[in-house]
Amino acid sequence: MSRQEEIKTAFFMLVDQHMDDLLHGRCGRRYSASDFARLLFIHPRHLTDTIKLTTGKSPCDVMEERFMAEAHRMLSETTLSIADIGGKLGWNDPSNFTKFFRHMSGITPMQFRKNIAAVRV
């Protein structure tokens, strides 16, 4: 395995661990690309360049996609409030979570949940 593949694999493992830590209350904030680079003992620019080269996406894009996937899952499969879901994902202010979700998907978390409920009926 090349060094680039090692970095990519380690980054994705850290992303999964970080998401698990957030969801289980072991971490109270979302990590940045710099945080992941520090954990990998590499420069943030090197992490960004490597992840872009190996995936076509930035580390931030990877994290945003992971947050959206988890938000979709939680909105679909749980009855947690939108504020609680945002809190579990590291947003202290529910309105910031709603803004992020709307920016990424074009609809609010409430609209997403209503659309899911309508499909199930």
Side-chain angles (χ1 to χ4, degrees), residues 3-27:
R3 178 66 178 139
Q4 292 171 339
E5 287 298 317
E6 287 177 13
I7 291 170
K8 180 184 88 170
T9 299
F11 171 70
F12 276 92
M13 288 175 56
L14 286 173
V15 167
D16 289 342
Q17 181 62 52
H18 178 56
M19 185 61 66
D20 190 61
D21 289 346
L22 280 171
L23 294 175
H24 291 94
R26 295 185 297 261
C27 182

Side-chain angles (χ1 to χ4, degrees), residues 10-111:
F11 171 70
F12 276 92
M13 288 175 56
L14 286 173
V15 167
D16 289 342
Q17 181 62 52
H18 178 56
M19 185 61 66
D20 190 61
D21 289 346
L22 280 171
L23 294 175
H24 291 94
R26 295 185 297 261
C27 182
R29 69 176 184 87
R30 293 178 315 281
Y31 286 174
S32 67
S34 294
D35 293 319
F36 287 109
R38 186 175 24 79
L39 292 169
L40 293 168
F41 302 102
I42 61 176
H43 192 275
R45 185 80 235 157
H46 184 55
L47 174 64
T48 297
D49 291 345
T50 301
I51 298 303
K52 277 188 178 180
L53 181 68
T54 57
T55 69
K57 300 174 187 174
S58 72
C60 292
D61 290 341
V62 170
M63 285 301 299
E64 287 174 348
E65 288 176 3
R66 185 71 166 85
F67 282 119
M68 285 302 292
E70 192 59 36
H72 284 158
R73 186 195 68 74
M74 293 173 80
L75 288 164
S76 301
E77 298 175 6
T78 73
T79 58
L80 290 171
S81 72
I82 290 166
D84 287 343
I85 291 171
K88 282 187 169 289
L89 294 174
W91 276 270
N92 295 327
D93 182 350
S95 67
N96 288 337
F97 170 66
T98 297
K99 289 175 190 173
F100 166 79
F101 191 96
R102 185 177 1 171
H103 173 75
M104 295 298 292
S105 67
I107 60 175
T108 66
M110 182 63 72
Q111 290 168 323

